[in-house]
Structures are given as structure tokens and as C-alpha cells.
């Protein structure tokens, strides 16, 4: 009995993974059979990836690949995001008896853009809006909507799917804006996130001293789960004792001091 020793899995993404093994069939007639499929729910098996030695295919639906004897790597494609899979490698040869190997791994969860929205480089009449992750293979286009709070006119800017930032111009000085970034995905799905940006300065008279920069800059929202977001910002002023955070959502508004 010849053992292929260990079966490794690496380069795991949301929809693919690579298997690698020692080519024990090199120079021999034969081939490798690979079977892989999702682990049935409730089996309690999981893992982020690595290597394995225990044969296992289970009774779930699986896909089958065949690779030549001189091969030592195979790519598994068409996987589902955030799903635990078992892959089994079986060396087939008429000259030797070879032991199959199995490995369990979990694909990365799906992250749809925009997952983060950042406002930076605030000026007198402009702000820069950035978002991520950049997914040109999945996103057809982005729409950036913005309006002055509380009841300003709504404006829209269309951006291609390969772009992850834009500069909003011709804004009113010293004004707070609500900015929303929406993505239209090739799958037909849409996703949106919003943040608030501030034009940091106001027009100055010739004799007026320049106003100090505000204590808040580079506001960023990051998705955390299905019903919450994380808020991050960068303070710029000395002597600030705290911040007051306000957010709205149907049917009421909320606030919190920090």
C-alpha cells in the first residue's frame, strides 16, 4: 500500500480552492480521481482549510474530476461562498494499491461591494468619496447620491464598476451632506451604503482669521453582520472631550455620546 501522505488545500476564495499533493503516480500508469462536495448540514465538520489525511466523501452531492498521473495540483471551481466542503483524492493504478486522502475546508464568505464607504479630503466646496472592495468582475456600475442635510436637493453621479472613488464638487461650504453609494451587480443584485461628509471650511472675509479644522475627519462605515455597521473616524483637534453619534432608521432615530 502506497500513501500519498498529505492532501493540502490553499488559495481558498469565495468560489474556488486549489488542492495539492505529492505525485505518487509519477512514472506509473494511472490517474487521480477527485471528488468534492459540501459537507451535509449537522455533521459538525468545519475548517478554514489546510491539510488532511482521513478519507471521507459523505452522502451529499459531489463533483468529480480526473487528473493525469504526473499531476500534483487541481483547482476546484464553482464553489459556494461561506460553505464547508470535503474533497477526496483517490490515486488509481493497476500496479499499486493506493490509499485515498480527504481534506475539509471552508470557502470565504461573500463580501459584496460596497462594504465600506469613506469620506476624506473635505474642502471648501468638495469632498472625496471612496468605497470598497473593488470588484470589477462582479459590479457593472456604481451610483453616488448626495444631498445637503436636512432637506437639500438630491444629486447623482454614475461611476463605472472598475472605479472605487469620486470627487463631489460644487458643494455648499460648511454644509453636512448625506452620501449614498449603490452598486449594481452583474447578478442583478443591488447593495447600498451611506455615510455623512462635511465640507470642512467656510468662505473667509479678507480680515477673517482661518477657522480651525473640525475635530472629525475621514468618517468610515464598515458592514458588521446583517444588521449593524462599524463607525470609524480620525480626530484632528486638541481638547476634544468626546463625540456625539446620531443615526436614523425607520421608524425612529437614535443617538449616543462617546
Amino acid at each position: 500500500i502506497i500513501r500519498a501522505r498529505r492532501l493540502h488545500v490553499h488559495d481558498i476564495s469565495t468560489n474556488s480552492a486549489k488542492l495539492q499533493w505529492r505525485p505518487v503516480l509519477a512514472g506509473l500508469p494511472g490517474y487521480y480521481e477527485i471528488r468534492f462536495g459540501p459537507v451535509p448540514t449537522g455533521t459538525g465538520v468545519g475548517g478554514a482549510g489546510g491539510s488532511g489525511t482521513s478519507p471521507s466523501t459523505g452522502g451529499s452531492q459531489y463533483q468529480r474530476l480526473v487528473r493525469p498521473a504526473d499531476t500534483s495540483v487541481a483547482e476546484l471551481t464553482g464553489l459556494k461562498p461561506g460553505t464547508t466542503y470535503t474533497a477526496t483524492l483517490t490515486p488509481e493504478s493497476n500496479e499499486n494499491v493506493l490509499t485515498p486522502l480527504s481534506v475539509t475546508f471552508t470557502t470565504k464568505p461573500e463580501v459584496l461591494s460596497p462594504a465600506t464607504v469613506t469620506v476624506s479630503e473635505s474642502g471648501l466646496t468638495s469632498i472625496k468619496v471612496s468605497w470598497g472592495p473593488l470588484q470589477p468582475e462582479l459590479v457593472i456600475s456604481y451610483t453616488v447620491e448626495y444631498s445637503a442635510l436636512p432637506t437639500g436637493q438630491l444629486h447623482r453621479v454614475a461611476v463605472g464598476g472598475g472605479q472605487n472613488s469620486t470627487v463631489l464638487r460644487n458643494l455648499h461650504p460648511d454644509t453636512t451632506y448625506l452620501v449614498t453609494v449603490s452598486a449594481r451587480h452583474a447578478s442583478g443584485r443591488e447593495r447600498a451604503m451611506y455615510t455623512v461628509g462635511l465640507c470642512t471650511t467656510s468662505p473667509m472675509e479678507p480680515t477673517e482669521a482661518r477657522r480651525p479644522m473640525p475635530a472629525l475627519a475621514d468618517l468610515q462605515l464598515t458592514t458588521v453582520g446583517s444588521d449593524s455597521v462599524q463607525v470609524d473616524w480620525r480626530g484632528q483637534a486638541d481638547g476634544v472631550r468626546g463625540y456625539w453619534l446620531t443615526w436614523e432608521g425607520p421608524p425612529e432615530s437614535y443617538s449616543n455620546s462617546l
Side-chain angles (χ1 to χ4, degrees), residues 105-225:
F105 63 94
T106 301
T107 54
K108 293 183 178 180
E110 184 177 36
V111 178
L112 294 178
S113 181
T116 61
V117 177
T118 304
V119 172
S120 60
E121 300 181 16
S122 299
L124 180 65
T125 60
S126 65
I127 55 176
K128 181 179 180 181
V129 182
S130 307
W131 56 87
L134 188 62
Q135 298 175 324
E137 72 284 358
L138 300 177
V139 177
I140 297 176
S141 63
Y142 294 96
T143 300
V144 181
E145 298 179 321
Y146 59 100
S147 61
L149 294 176
T151 58
Q153 180 181 357
L154 181 65
H155 302 272
R156 291 184 178 89
V157 176
V159 179
Q163 188 172 334
N164 67 342
S165 67
T166 189
V167 177
L168 307 181
R169 306 182 187 277
N170 301 319
L171 307 180
H172 297 294
D174 202 23
T175 302
T176 302
Y177 282 82
L178 177 66
V179 181
T180 303
V181 180
S182 304
R184 185 163 66 94
H185 290 256
S187 63
R189 301 177 63 179
E190 292 189 4
R191 177 178 173 83
M193 282 198 72
Y194 73 90
T195 187
V196 176
L198 176 68
C199 290
T200 61
T201 59
S202 61
M204 295 185 302
E205 298 295 335
T207 59
E208 182 184 2
R210 178 169 293 274
R211 298 172 56 189
M213 292 292 288
L216 179 62
D218 292 343
L219 182 68
Q220 176 173 315
L221 300 183
T222 304
T223 302
V224 181

Side-chain angles (χ1 to χ4, degrees), residues 24-43:
V24 294
L25 293 180
L28 298 176
Y31 61 90
Y32 298 100
E33 180 187 65
I34 302 170
R35 297 191 180 194
F36 62 98
V39 174
T41 304
T43 60

Side-chain angles (χ1 to χ4, degrees), residues 23-68:
V24 294
L25 293 180
L28 298 176
Y31 61 90
Y32 298 100
E33 180 187 65
I34 302 170
R35 297 191 180 194
F36 62 98
V39 174
T41 304
T43 60
V45 178
S51 60
T53 57
S54 300
S56 175
T57 52
S60 61
Q61 296 181 347
Y62 62 86
Q63 301 181 56
R64 180 176 180 269
L65 297 176
V66 175
R67 292 293 182 265

Side-chain angles (χ1 to χ4, degrees), residues 61-83:
Q61 296 181 347
Y62 62 86
Q63 301 181 56
R64 180 176 180 269
L65 297 176
V66 175
R67 292 293 182 265
D70 58 352
T71 303
S72 61
V73 64
E75 184 173 10
L76 312 182
T77 60
L79 309 181
K80 296 181 180 180
T83 303

